[in-house]
Amino acid sequence: MRFVTSLKFRGWALLGATAFCLALPGAIATLDNSAHAGGTLEARKQPMHFKWNACQPDCRGWVSAVGIVTSDSPREFDEFAKGRQLAGATIVLDSSGGSVNDSIALGRKFRSLGALTTVGATVRTQTPHGERASVTPEAYCESMCVFLLLSGKTRYVPPVAHVRVHQIWMGDRADDAKAASYTAQDLMIVERDIGRLAKYTFDMGGTGDLLSLALSVPPWEDLHKLSRDELRLANLVTTDAVADVFLQDNATVPMAEAKPAKPQDRFVSSTVGGDAQPQAGRSTKTADAAAPTGSATAPAQPQQK
């Protein structure tokens, strides 16, 4: 079954300034909106992949987790994690959702590592000092991605991020949910997976409000973007300081001290200068109700979008 869920923020660089990798003066990257829409959004539509992004000496590195969760994703994360010290790692999410049960399994792996989670799109640019990774906060976390976000022991959501929810549904019938036929077996699967999702939500420290918000939006309606108040109501946000998910443990720069004169933060604004417009949100009735990705699974297994 698929969980069919799915600011122009001039001051973002000020909020995050000095929080990440201060060793590259003046190396702030700006992100072209068309490139972001064409490249990053396309990546969100592919099976999830994981990449380690180093950041030294003043900030911790992070894992970028981009794409749709498939039946292969938990195993592929295990392969990715081999030989890496990922305890307490920051995981940056940019995803349209995916399989309910596989997202639950992946989220539990994140929690077992004591991971920190946030929403963002990792961008790589060439500088005189070599390739530089940075994170733009204007990214999407939709449907089951929201429950991956919940897996973090510390959870930060940028003000410009799009966190959107939807009901879970049979993935092969999400495109035209009203016209589709359903059996008693289908309803049993939906009920079962809602129960699994509810248990996971409470195990991760989420609230019933998150389930209520998600399960109240049918697949034939647009995904619901959670407001800041709703993010707090769902307990998806545990901190308002970006430094809490990126600074090294021994760093002591408080966010209140951020200065525009040092914009070498790893979270970079796609609207620095005020001219660029925010990336247009995709009006969708399902986050990714396309052909299934990843390995083949039994048709009855729900996947979330």
Side-chain angles (χ1 to χ4, degrees):
M1 174 184 291
R2 296 183 190 265
F3 191 160
V4 279
T5 355
S6 295
L7 332 171
K8 186 163 155 185
F9 192 69
R10 186 190 304 270
W12 180 254
L14 307 186
L15 177 66
T18 77
F20 314 99
C21 296
L22 303 182
L24 298 175
I28 188 168
T30 55
L31 190 63
D32 178 76
N33 275 355
S34 61
H36 183 59
T40 305
L41 285 183
E42 182 63 26
R44 287 197 307 114
K45 301 286 289 182
Q46 303 302 316
M48 181 166 280
H49 63 275
F50 308 96
K51 186 175 181 63
W52 175 254
N53 304 275
C55 180
Q56 295 294 336
D58 299 304
C59 72
R60 67 172 79 234
W62 67 91
V63 176
S64 54
V66 183
I68 299 169
V69 178
T70 72
S71 58
D72 294 327
S73 298
R75 175 186 56 78
E76 290 178 353
F77 181 74
D78 285 341
E79 291 295 322
F80 167 80
K82 284 181 180 177
R84 289 187 168 93
Q85 299 298 321
L86 295 183
T90 296
I91 297 176
V92 180
L93 297 160
D94 187 21
S95 169
S96 297
S99 163
V100 174
N101 292 319
D102 295 306
S103 294
I104 289 173
L106 186 58
R108 292 196 183 278
K109 291 179 184 294
F110 291 172
R111 175 56 65 90
S112 71
L113 292 170
L116 319 177
T117 53
T118 187
V119 180
T122 298
V123 181
R124 295 182 173 275
T125 55
Q126 290 297 328
T127 76
H129 303 278
E131 187 178 69
R132 176 179 180 271
S134 56
V135 178
T136 177
E138 193 172 2
Y140 289 76
C141 184
E142 299 172 325
S143 186
M144 278 311 294
C145 175
V146 177
F147 293 88
L148 290 179
L149 175 65
L150 188 63
S151 70
K153 290 181 65 176
T154 301
R155 306 183 283 273
Y156 173 75
V157 176
V160 294
H162 306 268
V163 178
R164 309 201 291 188
V165 295
H166 214 286
Q167 286 180 352
I168 66 175
W169 209 260
M170 307 303 294
D172 57 351
R173 276 154 282 186
D175 282 333
D176 195 356
K178 284 185 175 181
S181 299
Y182 303 92
T183 67
Q185 178 76 6
D186 294 333
L187 295 179
M188 181 278 294
I189 291 170
V190 174
E191 296 285 349
R192 179 199 66 191
D193 288 350
I194 288 174
R196 289 175 176 173
L197 191 60
K199 182 181 187 321
Y200 170 87
T201 298
F202 298 130
D203 286 348
M204 296 297 111
T207 70
D209 297 284
L210 173 57
L211 292 167
S212 178
L213 286 164
L215 297 176
S216 65
V217 184
W220 49 85
E221 293 183 5
D222 289 347
L223 284 72
H224 172 68
K225 180 179 177 179
L226 299 179
S227 67
R228 297 306 293 183
D229 286 342
E230 288 170 336
L231 287 169
R232 295 186 183 285
L233 196 64
N235 204 27
L236 281 166
V237 172
T238 65
T239 179
D240 288 324
V242 64
D244 288 346
V245 293
F246 278 99
L247 278 181
Q248 295 282 24
D249 294 339
N250 59 359
T252 58
V253 179
M255 293 307 297
E257 295 296 318
K259 298 292 195 301
K262 292 186 177 181
Q264 303 88 347
D265 52 303
R266 285 293 162 174
F267 251 120
V268 296
S269 175
S270 61
T271 57
V272 172
D275 295 327
Q277 295 299 314
Q279 175 182 311
R282 195 168 52 100
S283 179
T284 60
K285 298 187 185 301
T286 64
D288 291 290
T293 56
S295 61
T297 56
Q301 288 304 312
Q303 290 201 338
Q304 178 168 355
K305 290 212 164 190

